[in-house]
Amino acid sequence: MNSFATSPGTRDILPPDAARWRAFQEAFAEVASRYGCSYMIPPMFEDLGVFLRLGEATDVVTKEMYDFEDKGGRRVALRPEQTASVCRAFVQHRPTTPWKVWYAGPNFRYEKPQQGRYRQFDQVGVEVLGVTDPHADVEVIALAWDFYRALGLRQVHLALNTLGNADERARWTEALAKYFRDHEEQLTVDSRATLAKNPLRVLDSKRPDDAPVIQGAPRIEDYLGVESAQHFAVVRQSLTELGIPFTVEARLVRGLDYYCHTTFEFVSTSLSAAHTAIGGGGRYDGLVEQLGGPATPGVGFALGLDRTLLACDAESVFPSPRETVRVFVVDTTGGGEALRVAAELRAADISTDRAFEQRSMKAQMKAADRSGAEIALIIGSDELASDSIVMRLMSSGEQTTVKRANLIEIVQRTLAVTDVK
Ligand code: AMP
């Protein structure tokens, strides 16, 4: 018989890692609600057109989309990210603004799988729609910053840039295209290919051979109008006021086409070069309109869960929560008493596990040990006959016999004491 394994770029998230994922999302939920953001759940697939708006010249759209025709002949795609879906939802439902939402869940990109880069990867993110105020940019950056702190990460660097408004960005891109074409013979083959599709993204190249040409490329600051320069100045001042350190990086353009004004990226300095970007975002004032809605500004970010957890590993922070039960029931009389005792304990909100299949006392005690429970409740024929149960404290091995009728109360009391320790 054939057996199957996960597809390339996908993984099973097994215990105890899965508990860590859940704790990650819960930590994010807590910080996001502290900032007044509400949870939303966009669908995992949408009309392909929603994602085409991300920009015809981006890898995410041209090479990496999981798109297919469904049985009804619709062209759909698994979401490669969620900002476009949030904007599509905004256009469809027209909530009052500012609309501040957060989301969490998997995205799909047909990338070359490697450490820190998967075909199914999780993100948590925030989008704020309907606000042009640069303080909104600062809020979303501060939210991400607080979240990294909440995880315990310290080696996170914030890189910041502005792309100006649509016109300024277009004029700068034109100047970049001309400059890179004039110096094309000094660019690597890969960057020449990028130049043909999206001159802005040549700036993204991390290849050392491209560095000298990129160094001399036109800079956005020379193309910014007064308003855009002012917007960026407020962002920088406010971040400084909040004590959030950053560096302005003129080369930071980010992958997707819809960004304008503020763009930012969080880089983990504890990770190796291939996957140091653990999150990023920016302003995307044109996206809602492109999706058929009224002109609506937006700003947001998404953080890669998989990669952020790699950063947590590198800094030895945010370990998997312990997933253990507090009580384990051992029953050598057939299991009927274990059934009743476990039910009573669970009804009293005490996490409980038990052994099955009438295994030997030794095997059941071994299972109790493995479970990590603080208390084992042991039922043999003597106990069953005398309406009692042996309570064993797993840490000390101390055993007492307790009356069946008082069991729940005594277990509760004992656990309350171990709780404080
Ligand atoms: P993006 O949506 O491309 O701006 O990505 C935002 C964040 O998602 C990145 O900083 C990464 O942390 C994460 N990310 C993007 N693509 C992948 C991937 N294929 N595998 C794992 N994480 C990813």
Side-chain angles (χ1 to χ4, degrees), residues 261-339:
H261 293 290
T262 318
T263 54
F264 55 91
E265 196 155 77
F266 293 99
V267 168
S268 166
T269 50
S270 61
L271 290 176
S272 64
H275 53 269
T276 57
I278 55 172
R283 198 163 256 292
Y284 45 87
D285 288 354
L287 188 57
V288 170
E289 213 173 349
Q290 279 185 47
L291 286 162
T296 308
V299 60
F301 68 80
L303 309 182
L305 180 153
D306 314 64
R307 240 182 254 182
T308 305
L309 285 180
L310 288 174
C312 289
D313 290 341
E315 289 198 44
S316 301
V317 296
F318 200 69
S320 295
R322 263 162 50 93
E323 270 194 307
T324 50
V325 289
R326 306 202 71 187
V327 177
F328 194 95
V329 186
V330 169
D331 178 0
T332 56
T333 67
E337 186 68 346
L339 180 79

Side-chain angles (χ1 to χ4, degrees), residues 109 111 116-118 121 123 254 277-280 302-304 307:
R109 295 181 193 174
E111 298 199 74
R117 189 172 293 284
Y118 313 98
F121 64 97
Q123 284 183 340
R254 297 191 35 78
I278 55 172
L303 309 182
R307 240 182 254 182

Side-chain angles (χ1 to χ4, degrees), residues 37-101:
C37 298
S38 307
Y39 185 44
M40 82 157 281
I41 309 175
M44 289 211 204
F45 63 85
E46 301 241 13
D47 193 299
L48 174 66
V50 171
F51 304 116
L52 292 182
R53 299 299 180 280
L54 299 176
E56 310 276 350
T58 60
D59 284 354
V60 168
V61 169
T62 51
K63 288 200 241 153
E64 298 168 0
M65 196 80 84
Y66 273 93
D67 59 321
F68 56 97
E69 197 175 291
D70 74 6
K71 290 182 173 33
R74 293 175 204 87
R75 194 84 200 157
V76 294
L78 303 185
R79 65 183 184 205
E81 56 106 65
Q82 294 172 61
T83 306
S85 297
V86 171
C87 291
R88 192 268 314 134
F90 179 85
V91 174
Q92 186 173 341
H93 305 289
R94 300 294 170 93
T96 48
T97 55
W99 200 43
K100 298 169 72 172
V101 293

